[in-house]
Amino acid sequence: MKGFAQRALVSDVLPWLRKQAVALEQESTPLHKLQGRVLASDVTAPIDVPSFDRSAMDGYALLADETEGASLYNPLTFILSGESLPGSAFDGQVTTGTAIRIMTGAPVPGGATCVVPAEHATESEGIISVSQAVPHGKHIGRRGEDIAAGQRLLTTGRSLRPQDVGLIASLGLAEVPAVRKPVVRLVVTGNELAQPGGTLLSGQIYESNSVMIASLVARDGGVLDSPPPYLPVPDSRDAIASELIRPGADLILVSGGSSVGTEDHAPSLVAELGTLDFHGIAVRPASPSGIGRINDTLVFLLPGNPVSCLCAYDLFAGEAIRRLGGHASAMPYPRQATQLAERITSSIGRVDYCRVQWTDASQQRVTPLAISGASILSSTTRADGFVIVPADLEGYPAGADIEVLLYDVSAHQQDNGP
Ligand code: AMP
Ligand code: MG
């Protein structure tokens, strides 16, 4: 057992990682799987939307000119000659002196030049009394007023939002090309790990990294290669090796056993089965992290300590997953400029991931959390966010202007499968 001779600089790791983690191939993707994916070609409208003139109100379609002078004291009358319903058009023409009953979304028949809303008309025994003059074109949604055929609506590279997917559906497209979602395998190692819900034997702890990481993977647009529960893999070379060589994953996250202890098998296995490009990185916490490749699969060795695990995910693995899915690299935490209430100490050459809390309800300043050891997961739930101290600083003095990355991400991406 030998400690780390030296630790890789984050400024060397990230450029390497960005070169390795490039967007996966595109695939034709059905509507219900598009949310949160990245569009791989432009979307151009094949049709006008709507594709016919339609009523924007429930009321009566007639000739606008004929309503001139209509008022409550001078209602004008029309003969009801038919009805147009959504999906069931009136197939005749609207002629002088006639009106047809029409509902919102129904086709406006030929000849009609406006729709009189129901609240300005009464209907009795086949006669419509109109009590308001309505201008030409009023309450008619024209063909193509929403989208004109040939219009480019969404461009390649866009992370699709729910309303984007709705728009694609409105064009009649059942699928469009999108970047494939990276398939992520979670390998949770540790002989001491017990499943939540089971009994805790002496010396055991409940396994908590998998659920945390699984939801971050979903947030970042990855999809896990097997459903929960994520049963721990024993600290055995054979068991870990078989998870590393099993095909089917674009990226493997190994939790635990990433360091230099006698039970830490993953680093040497990655080095034997592929390349262990980095082992030991100058970050706090999470310095016993590793990154390598086995064939085309990126492998991240995340320390088992929950805070280190989160930090290593946030700093390295999350970015790789986002990039494989074609998403922007940046951490998806909202950023806010603020002031530090107390100093943070760091070392030159090391990047610190420092959990902080709003100092008071006014949210003007943040305080670093005193209990910030790597095993103190509750420090991350007490924290409102974190501050990254770059490698070229020895920390920040009290009062420093800093940027906090806030843990509260309101938009959770839906995990809708591969
Ligand atoms: P390791 O990285 O395997 O040396 O583990 C470091 C510490 O994290 C040990 O105290 C482990 O018991 C703990 N640990 C490892 N894996 C997990 C996990 N999945 N959930 C919670 N704690 C863990
Ligand atoms: Mg371990």
Side-chain angles (χ1 to χ4, degrees):
M1 189 162 62
K2 232 166 75 190
F4 290 104
Q6 63 183 58
R7 289 178 170 79
L9 297 175
V10 172
S11 57
D12 291 330
V13 175
L14 287 178
W16 178 90
L17 192 57
R18 287 169 188 159
K19 234 164 69 201
Q20 305 291 318
V22 294
L24 296 169
E25 74 282 1
Q26 53 169 279
E27 61 185 6
S28 190
T29 309
L31 287 169
H32 69 278
K33 289 188 171 178
L34 278 175
Q35 157 62 12
R37 288 217 202 187
V38 170
L39 201 55
S41 74
D42 293 351
V43 171
T44 302
I47 54 165
D48 288 329
V49 179
S51 57
F52 55 90
D53 291 351
R54 66 181 171 190
S55 179
M57 299 288 275
D58 295 331
Y60 299 91
L62 41 70
L63 279 67
D65 293 348
E66 292 192 291
T67 65
E68 210 179 302
S71 72
L72 273 176
Y73 307 102
N74 181 35
L76 300 179
T77 57
F78 297 81
I79 295 165
L80 182 67
S81 62
E83 186 174 59
S84 182
L85 301 177
S88 161
F90 172 70
D91 60 6
Q93 285 279 117
V94 174
T95 52
T96 306
T98 69
I100 65 133
R101 194 186 297 124
I102 194 164
M103 300 302 140
T104 304
V108 175
T113 57
C114 77
V115 171
V116 178
E119 50 269 42
H120 298 304
T122 56
E123 183 184 327
S124 172
E125 291 172 5
I127 302 296
I128 310 302
S129 298
V130 172
S131 57
Q132 194 182 58
V134 176
H136 200 274
K138 191 82 178 166
H139 306 308
I140 295 177
R142 291 292 172 199
R143 171 180 182 149
E145 78 164 3
D146 186 354
I147 297 162
Q151 205 180 332
R152 191 171 63 168
L153 297 166
L154 301 169
T155 48
T156 305
R158 182 178 175 96
S159 286
L160 293 171
R161 308 186 297 187
Q163 59 268 48
D164 296 335
V165 182
L167 183 99
I168 293 168
S170 79
L171 301 172
L173 303 173
E175 41 190 59
V176 292
V179 178
R180 181 166 69 77
K181 280 185 158 201
V183 176
V184 177
R185 177 171 307 143
L186 206 47
V187 184
V188 180
T189 70
N191 288 340
E192 76 282 30
L193 302 177
Q195 278 292 97
T199 31
L200 202 59
L201 305 177
S202 156
Q204 286 191 323
I205 58 163
Y206 284 120
E207 195 282 300
S208 61
N209 287 344
S210 66
V211 282
M212 176 177 73
I213 296 300
S215 66
L216 292 170
V217 169
R219 178 200 68 180
D220 289 327
V223 60
L224 292 171
D225 75 337
S226 64
Y230 314 105
L231 298 176
V233 172
D235 289 316
S236 111
R237 278 179 68 80
D238 287 350
I240 297 169
S242 75
E243 290 299 307
L244 292 176
I245 56 175
R246 194 156 53 84
D250 298 299
L251 189 146
I252 298 177
L253 300 173
V254 181
S255 152
S258 70
S259 190
V260 294
T262 56
E263 292 302 281
D264 297 341
H265 305 299
S268 60
L269 281 170
V270 174
E272 284 163 34
L273 299 166
T275 55
L276 181 62
D277 298 275
F278 299 98
H279 190 215
I281 304 177
V283 287
R284 188 174 70 177
S287 85
S289 298
I291 308 177
R293 284 195 81 106
I294 298 175
N295 300 321
D296 284 339
T297 306
L298 272 169
V299 183
F300 289 82
L301 308 181
L302 311 175
N305 263 317
V307 182
S308 307
C309 186
L310 175 64
C311 166
Y313 180 89
D314 269 342
L315 291 181
F316 308 115
E319 174 159 346
I321 294 170
R322 290 190 294 276
R323 290 177 66 85
L324 289 176
H327 295 279
S329 290
M331 287 190 228
Y333 295 108
R335 291 161 189 262
Q336 195 168 323
T338 185
Q339 257 197 359
L340 206 54
E342 289 166 29
R343 74 193 183 114
I344 297 176
T345 51
S346 178
S347 299
I348 298 278
R350 189 182 75 203
V351 169
D352 274 41
Y353 174 102
C354 180
R355 277 84 63 220
V356 297
Q357 206 171 33
W358 289 116
T359 307
D360 56 43
S362 70
Q363 303 198 342
Q364 302 295 315
R365 299 195 308 164
V366 291
T367 307
L369 283 157
I371 307 167
S372 52
S375 60
I376 311 298
L377 183 57
S378 60
S379 73
T380 57
T381 57
R382 270 198 302 280
D384 295 301
F386 58 96
V387 170
I388 291 187
V389 185
D392 57 354
L393 295 183
E394 280 188 293
Y396 287 115
D401 291 318
I402 45 105
E403 187 181 59
V404 62
L405 288 95
L406 298 166
Y407 280 128
D408 291 318
V409 181
S410 48
H412 284 285
Q413 276 178 341
Q414 201 190 332
D415 179 8
N416 50 9

